[in-house]
DNA sequence: TGAGCATTTGAAGAATTCCGCAAGTGGTAA
DNA sequence: TTACCACTTGCGGAATTCTTCAAATGCTCA
């Protein structure tokens, strides 16, 4: 009963682990929108967007209904916005931490000493590729 | 400059998209802990845990340092706790929404009408396994 | 110095996820 | 009815992620 809890949480977050899906949720924060509009704003193929929407639907984060000729999507709960906001905050915190460390290193790190398992997480070389 | 932003956000969330990693972060909310302890609490192989820790490290969510014979890990920013809390809230919201719908269906849904693209996200068959 | 614990790293295969194309489905309007 | 949008689904292949085993690496303590 509590083991699959972590599984559920992980699935929840993994649902957000895709740029297009994040984009969709952010756009939907402004209210319900038809697929057309999402499609116009996001730059992915229609079928791909549809699949991402299906993922969000299955996760219960959005709901859809038909309005005349178009299908509208909306956030199923405003809490989603909180999650995105929290994400933004962390991203900020983590990034500035990195920058701070980076600056520190640049300054000539005689302080923390780069030995131990000080793992900074910075790496400098990971814009677009591979593992 | 803003296109990779969604990419970064997605990566952040994807980092949380694994049960063991979630578990680690939750455990670390109680303060720094040695790998030993995490290992004892999580039930995954040592090497696997180590890899998950590496993922968290690379993402900048945790930091590690050595204390005598053990390596200690801790949250790199308390904001992480917020994220987890937000996740919990959503999970709650989403799940109760599902249950509500489920009840509604069971009651004999003559109301909302199961036509259209009413996508409930429920599925009934996904308790503990798969992936 | 040498044994031994605590962790990490590498590698390879299995399992998932992602992506675009082709083929539906459903509703609207001629 | 037919033609046509607006979307969704099915499918195969490419790319990632996960998992486990074997082999380091780093310390600490006899």
């Amino acid at each position: 009963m509590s083991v699959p809890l972590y599984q559920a949480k992980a699935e929840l977050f993994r649902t957000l682990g895709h740029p297009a899906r994040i984009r969709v949720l952010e756009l939907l924060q402004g209210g319900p929108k038809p697929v057309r509009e999402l499609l116009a704003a996001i730059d992915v193929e229609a079928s791909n967007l549809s699949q991402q929407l299906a993922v969000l639907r299955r996760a219960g984060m959005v709901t859809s209904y038909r309005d005349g000729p178009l299908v509208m999507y909306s956030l199923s709960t405003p809490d989603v916005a909180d999650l995105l906001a929290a994400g933004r905050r962390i991203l900020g915190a983590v990034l500035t931490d990195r920058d701070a460390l980076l600056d520190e290193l640049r300054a000539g790190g005689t302080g923390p000493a780069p030995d131990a398992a000080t793992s900074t997480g910075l790496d400098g070389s990971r814009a677009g590729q591979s593992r």
Side-chain angles (χ1 to χ4, degrees), chain A:
Chain A
M1 190 157 198
S2 86
V3 180
L5 215 191
Y6 301 105
Q7 181 74 32
K9 289 184 187 174
E11 269 169 37
L12 171 75
F13 286 117
R14 181 157 27 190
T15 297
L16 302 186
H18 188 293
R21 295 197 291 262
I22 292 272
R23 201 93 166 70
V24 166
L25 294 177
E26 293 195 334
L27 289 169
L28 292 185
Q29 286 186 86
K33 302 226 178 327
V35 177
R36 299 211 66 197
E37 203 172 320
L38 299 175
L39 189 55
I42 297 184
D43 180 48
V44 317
E45 266 207 18
S47 72
N48 193 349
L49 176 59
S50 200
Q51 294 185 352
Q52 307 306 345
L53 288 173
V55 171
L56 292 172
R57 242 183 299 141
R58 259 177 262 133
M61 313 199 80
V62 303
T63 13
S64 61
Y65 59 95
R66 182 175 279 276
D67 177 28
L70 346 134
V71 176
M72 307 287 289
Y73 275 85
S74 58
L75 296 185
S76 62
T77 156
D79 288 326
V80 173
D82 293 355
L83 197 50
L84 293 175
R88 251 189 298 283
R89 271 204 307 287
I90 294 239
L91 199 56
V94 165
L95 289 183
T96 61
D97 273 9
R98 288 196 191 186
D99 290 352
L101 271 176
L102 229 171
D103 290 349
E104 206 172 295
L105 284 184
R106 269 199 285 258
T110 31
D115 70 64
T118 320
S119 58
T120 63
L122 55 71
D123 169 316
S125 67
R126 51 195 313 275
Q129 89 314 8
S130 76
R131 8 170 4 13

